[in-house]
CSV table of all heavy atoms in Angstrom, one decimal:
chain,number,residue,atom,x,y,z
A,23,PHE,N,-1.9,14.6,18.9
A,23,PHE,CA,-3.1,13.7,18.7
A,23,PHE,C,-2.9,12.8,17.5
A,23,PHE,O,-3.9,12.2,17.0
A,23,PHE,CB,-4.3,14.6,18.6
A,23,PHE,CG,-4.7,15.3,19.8
A,23,PHE,CD1,-4.1,16.5,20.1
A,23,PHE,CD2,-5.6,14.8,20.7
A,23,PHE,CE1,-4.4,17.2,21.3
A,23,PHE,CE2,-6.0,15.4,21.9
A,23,PHE,CZ,-5.3,16.6,22.2
A,229,PHE,N,-15.7,20.6,16.7
A,229,PHE,CA,-15.7,21.5,17.8
A,229,PHE,C,-14.7,22.6,17.4
A,229,PHE,O,-13.5,22.4,17.3
A,229,PHE,CB,-15.3,20.9,19.1
A,229,PHE,CG,-14.9,21.9,20.2
A,229,PHE,CD1,-15.7,23.0,20.5
A,229,PHE,CD2,-13.8,21.7,21.0
A,229,PHE,CE1,-15.4,23.9,21.5
A,229,PHE,CE2,-13.4,22.6,22.0
A,229,PHE,CZ,-14.2,23.7,22.2
A,231,PHE,N,-13.0,26.3,18.2
A,231,PHE,CA,-12.9,27.3,19.2
A,231,PHE,C,-12.3,28.6,18.6
A,231,PHE,O,-11.4,28.6,17.8
A,231,PHE,CB,-12.1,26.8,20.4
A,231,PHE,CG,-10.7,26.4,20.1
A,231,PHE,CD1,-9.6,27.3,20.3
A,231,PHE,CD2,-10.4,25.1,19.8
A,231,PHE,CE1,-8.3,26.8,20.0
A,231,PHE,CE2,-9.1,24.6,19.5
A,231,PHE,CZ,-8.1,25.5,19.6
A,237,ALA,N,-11.4,27.1,24.8
A,237,ALA,CA,-10.5,26.0,24.8
A,237,ALA,C,-10.0,25.7,26.2
A,237,ALA,O,-9.5,24.6,26.5
A,237,ALA,CB,-9.3,26.3,24.0
A,242,PHE,N,-17.0,21.3,26.9
A,242,PHE,CA,-16.9,20.7,25.5
A,242,PHE,C,-18.3,20.4,25.1
A,242,PHE,O,-19.2,20.0,25.9
A,242,PHE,CB,-16.1,19.5,25.5
A,242,PHE,CG,-14.6,19.7,25.6
A,242,PHE,CD1,-13.8,18.9,26.5
A,242,PHE,CD2,-14.0,20.8,24.9
A,242,PHE,CE1,-12.5,19.2,26.6
A,242,PHE,CE2,-12.6,21.0,25.1
A,242,PHE,CZ,-11.9,20.2,25.9
A,274,VAL,N,-3.8,25.6,27.3
A,274,VAL,CA,-4.6,24.9,26.3
A,274,VAL,C,-4.4,23.4,26.3
A,274,VAL,O,-5.3,22.6,26.3
A,274,VAL,CB,-4.4,25.5,24.9
A,274,VAL,CG1,-5.1,24.7,23.8
A,274,VAL,CG2,-4.8,27.0,24.8
A,275,PHE,N,-3.1,23.0,26.3
A,275,PHE,CA,-2.9,21.6,26.3
A,275,PHE,C,-3.3,20.9,27.5
A,275,PHE,O,-3.8,19.7,27.5
A,275,PHE,CB,-1.4,21.3,26.1
A,275,PHE,CG,-1.0,19.9,26.0
A,275,PHE,CD1,-1.6,19.1,25.0
A,275,PHE,CD2,-0.1,19.3,26.9
A,275,PHE,CE1,-1.2,17.7,24.9
A,275,PHE,CE2,0.2,18.0,26.8
A,275,PHE,CZ,-0.4,17.2,25.8
A,276,GLU,N,-3.3,21.6,28.7
A,276,GLU,CA,-3.7,21.0,29.9
A,276,GLU,C,-5.2,20.6,29.8
A,276,GLU,O,-5.6,19.5,30.3
A,276,GLU,CB,-3.6,22.0,31.1
A,276,GLU,CG,-3.9,21.5,32.4
A,276,GLU,CD,-3.1,20.3,32.9
A,276,GLU,OE1,-1.9,20.3,32.5
A,276,GLU,OE2,-3.5,19.5,33.8
A,277,ARG,N,-6.0,21.4,29.1
A,277,ARG,CA,-7.4,21.1,28.9
A,277,ARG,C,-7.6,20.0,27.9
A,277,ARG,O,-8.3,19.0,28.1
A,277,ARG,CB,-8.2,22.3,28.5
A,277,ARG,CG,-9.7,22.1,28.3
A,277,ARG,CD,-10.3,22.0,29.7
A,277,ARG,NE,-11.7,21.6,29.6
A,277,ARG,CZ,-12.7,22.4,29.1
A,277,ARG,NH1,-12.4,23.6,28.5
A,277,ARG,NH2,-14.0,21.9,29.1
A,278,PHE,N,-6.9,20.1,26.7
A,278,PHE,CA,-7.2,19.2,25.6
A,278,PHE,C,-6.5,17.8,25.9
A,278,PHE,O,-7.0,16.8,25.2
A,278,PHE,CB,-6.7,19.7,24.3
A,278,PHE,CG,-7.6,20.7,23.7
A,278,PHE,CD1,-7.3,22.0,23.4
A,278,PHE,CD2,-8.9,20.3,23.3
A,278,PHE,CE1,-8.1,22.9,22.9
A,278,PHE,CE2,-9.8,21.2,22.8
A,278,PHE,CZ,-9.4,22.5,22.5
A,279,LYS,N,-5.6,17.7,26.7
A,279,LYS,CA,-4.9,16.4,26.9
A,279,LYS,C,-5.9,15.4,27.5
A,279,LYS,O,-5.6,14.2,27.4
A,279,LYS,CB,-3.6,16.5,27.8
A,279,LYS,CG,-3.8,16.8,29.2
A,279,LYS,CD,-2.5,16.9,29.9
A,279,LYS,CE,-2.6,17.1,31.4
A,279,LYS,NZ,-1.3,17.2,32.1
A,280,THR,N,-7.0,15.9,28.1
A,280,THR,CA,-8.0,14.9,28.6
A,280,THR,C,-8.7,14.2,27.5
A,280,THR,O,-9.3,13.1,27.8
A,280,THR,CB,-9.1,15.7,29.5
A,280,THR,OG1,-9.7,16.6,28.6
A,280,THR,CG2,-8.4,16.4,30.6
A,281,LEU,N,-8.6,14.7,26.3
A,281,LEU,CA,-9.2,14.0,25.1
A,281,LEU,C,-8.2,13.0,24.5
A,281,LEU,O,-8.6,12.3,23.6
A,281,LEU,CB,-9.5,15.0,24.1
A,281,LEU,CG,-10.4,16.2,24.5
A,281,LEU,CD1,-10.6,17.2,23.4
A,281,LEU,CD2,-11.8,15.6,24.9
A,282,ARG,N,-7.0,12.9,25.0
A,282,ARG,CA,-6.1,11.9,24.5
A,282,ARG,C,-6.3,10.5,25.0
A,282,ARG,O,-5.8,9.5,24.5
A,282,ARG,CB,-4.6,12.3,24.8
A,282,ARG,CG,-4.2,13.7,24.2
A,282,ARG,CD,-2.9,14.2,24.7
A,282,ARG,NE,-1.8,13.5,24.0
A,282,ARG,CZ,-0.6,13.3,24.5
A,282,ARG,NH1,-0.3,13.8,25.7
A,282,ARG,NH2,0.4,12.8,23.8
Side-chain angles (χ1 to χ4, degrees):
F23 292 82
F229 166 45
F231 58 94
F242 289 135
V274 172
F275 182 59
E276 183 66 25
R277 182 76 187 291
F278 279 120
K279 73 180 184 181
T280 62
L281 303 174
R282 298 172 77 203

